Amino acid sequence: MIVRPFRAHRPDPALAARIASPPYDVVDAGEARDLVAGNPYSFLRVVRAEVDLDTSVDPHAEAVYRRGRENLVTMIERGWLRRDPAPAFYVYRLETADHVQVGVAGLSSVQDYLEGRIRKHELTRADKEDDRVRHIDVVGAQTGPVLLTYRSRDDLDGWIEGAASGEPAIAVDAPDGVRHAVWRVDDPAELARAEALLRELPATYVADGHHRAASAARVAEIRRGRSGGGAHDAFLTVLFPSSRMRVLGYHRLVRDLAGLDAGSFLERLSEAGFDVAEDPDAFGPAVPGTFGLYLEGAWRRVVALDRPLAADPVEALDVTLLTRRVLEPILGVGDPRTDPRIEAVGGSRGRKEIERRVDSGEHRLGFTLHPTAVDAVLAVADAGRIMPPKSTWFDPKARSGLVVHVLDDVGR
């Protein structure tokens, strides 16, 4: 794999905690506005620039993307973001109370992505992809990294771990309890060794950021047509070994019971081959083939009685089982990418979010799923298959604004 060091724009360490922001796609417009209130430094003003405009402005209006560029230029001109003097790799550690993962940030080849060496397991939505294409092209920067994983290798894993020593260049304790630390590696010998180790990888896999990766490839095509090759031929990534990645359950909310009452729905579940029993601890299914169900103020454990072993890596997924036996035939849910009756909720949102959304009447029920195994994700990608939408919630997530790849010559 081709992964290269680069001259990143990074925050003034004294401002890093105020600049670093959640990824653009894990907060809605209201949450984004709340997060930037009283904080002029927030990188959300670049990745979700509608926060600076009236709520009546369409978040996909050209004015939003132009404001994002203006805000990025302002951050650079004021020295809030500074470009490193020489190319570097950036070792990035994510740490929570019970989990640590360390990876390396660099620029991955768009050509590797186009030719399938960077493998994906999800389809993208055209509207979301179009949004990020316009964002990258108008703002002139890749503002959030694509999280890649690779099958763990002792040599590369050891290099990454060894580079994450001593005092980091940046350390941020985020409000969600995740500690983000970044080390800069610019020694020529170390850079050459890291590039050589990365070159030996037969493939990498998109864990989080399918829309960012696809959009970066489209921007490269657009810009090549205007100016030939350039910085756009690579995109910002952080590569983590698969053995250190953590996946949480990606849950489902459904707005109605397709004309059924609660009793009839539970009967239909039993007829479909599930054992259903009330269980206040059902939120986090402990094993595959088991689901949590929140309906009418109570949690139930739902267990598939005859979960078949499937050779097809997609058919073996719990989300496929739920879709084939419940969501489609009982609740009449169509394409989960476009059907407005269903919504996915990332595992980090937790039990309270499921209960809040159902108790409010916004949705009628919630299903919680056992996390998809990382090995299952790699198997699907290796087979050239696609998972159902929103099958994996990799956690924790990298913050935006800590390492930025600026494509255009802006600011200083």
Side-chain angles (χ1 to χ4, degrees):
M1 303 301 297
I2 297 174
V3 187
R4 293 195 173 99
F6 70 111
R7 294 175 62 194
H9 280 77
R10 296 185 295 120
D12 176 342
L15 297 175
R18 300 192 69 186
I19 289 174
S21 78
Y24 78 97
D25 54 352
V26 301
V27 292
D28 61 29
E31 291 170 324
R33 290 180 186 275
D34 289 342
L35 288 170
V36 303
N39 180 12
Y41 305 99
S42 175
F43 206 67
L44 280 171
R45 298 186 185 278
V46 176
V47 297
R48 294 292 298 267
E50 66 267 27
V51 299
D52 280 345
L53 304 175
D54 189 84
T55 55
S56 64
V57 176
D58 183 339
H60 303 121
E62 187 68 19
V64 173
Y65 306 110
R66 289 199 305 267
R67 177 58 70 91
R69 182 181 177 89
E70 291 167 6
N71 288 343
L72 177 64
V73 171
T74 296
M75 288 184 168
I76 293 171
E77 289 180 340
R78 292 182 178 178
W80 301 351
L81 290 175
R82 303 168 180 172
R83 191 182 189 196
D84 281 326
F89 280 125
Y90 301 87
V91 174
Y92 193 148
R93 185 173 70 195
L94 296 164
E95 183 176 359
T96 69
D98 59 354
H99 177 78
V100 177
Q101 65 187 65
V102 188
V104 58
L107 299 183
S108 290
S109 164
V110 165
Q111 202 61 31
D112 278 345
Y113 176 80
L114 293 174
E115 294 179 3
R117 289 182 289 276
I118 298 175
R119 297 175 182 169
K120 55 192 177 184
H121 65 269
E122 287 186 5
L123 294 175
T124 56
R125 281 178 46 175
D127 57 339
K128 291 188 174 184
E129 194 177 309
D130 290 345
D131 167 61
R132 284 302 100 178
V133 168
R134 294 173 68 194
H135 172 81
I136 295 170
D137 195 33
V138 176
V139 173
Q142 294 157 355
T143 54
V146 176
L147 269 63
L148 302 179
T149 190
Y150 61 89
R151 284 193 168 83
S152 301
R153 296 171 54 106
D154 289 344
D155 49 6
L156 179 55
D157 298 359
W159 184 90
I160 293 171
E161 292 284 350
S165 59
E167 287 296 314
I170 297 172
V172 171
D173 291 311
D176 59 2
V178 181
R179 181 173 177 79
H180 302 255
V182 178
W183 288 260
R184 180 172 178 269
V185 180
D186 62 355
D187 177 79
E190 289 300 310
L191 295 182
R193 173 157 174 72
E195 281 195 82
L197 292 171
L198 290 161
R199 199 174 298 117
E200 292 177 8
L201 295 175
T204 57
Y205 303 82
V206 178
D208 190 28
H210 283 81
H211 287 91
R212 276 163 277 173
S215 301
R218 282 179 55 191
V219 170
E221 181 180 10
I222 292 167
R223 289 189 165 216
R224 283 172 191 158
R226 296 200 298 246
S227 60
H232 46 259
D233 287 326
F235 63 105
L236 178 61
T237 57
V238 185
L239 291 82
F240 294 97
S242 59
S243 62
R244 302 296 292 273
M245 298 292 279
R246 180 172 72 173
V247 184
L248 304 181
Y250 216 152
H251 312 310
R252 300 294 189 265
L253 290 165
V254 184
R255 295 190 185 279
D256 59 68
L257 296 181
L260 299 171
D261 59 34
S264 299
F265 171 68
L266 294 174
E267 287 180 10
R268 292 285 301 274
L269 274 184
S270 297
E271 293 168 359
F274 294 95
D275 177 72
V276 183
E278 288 202 21
D279 182 352
D281 298 320
F283 165 74
V287 296
T290 302
F291 306 89
L293 167 63
Y294 187 66
L295 173 67
E296 296 197 332
W299 282 97
R300 293 171 174 83
R301 177 178 43 81
V302 178
V303 181
L305 298 176
D306 58 343
R307 181 171 181 261
L309 295 176
D312 185 310
V314 176
E315 294 300 320
L317 299 171
D318 276 3
V319 65
T320 303
L321 175 65
L322 182 68
T323 300
R324 297 272 195 272
R325 293 197 187 177
V326 181
L327 298 180
E328 291 177 348
I330 300 177
L331 294 175
V333 172
D335 185 345
R337 298 171 66 221
T338 57
D339 193 325
R341 295 176 55 237
I342 189 168
E343 188 172 340
V345 177
S348 62
R349 294 279 187 171
R351 174 177 182 148
K352 290 184 178 179
E353 180 70 3
I354 299 288
E355 294 175 350
R356 181 186 72 80
R357 301 280 287 275
V358 174
D359 292 344
S360 71
E362 180 185 355
H363 294 83
R364 189 67 193 281
L365 62 80
F367 274 107
T368 59
L369 285 78
H370 183 70
T372 303
V374 175
D375 284 348
V377 176
L378 304 190
V380 169
D382 282 339
R385 300 293 306 283
I386 297 296
M387 286 184 169
K390 308 299 184 184
S391 296
T392 56
W393 182 271
F394 284 88
D395 182 87
K397 298 183 182 296
R399 290 242 145 183
S400 295
L402 293 180
V403 179
V404 181
H405 180 214
V406 176
L407 304 179
D408 299 334
D409 186 14
V410 297
R412 59 180 179 179

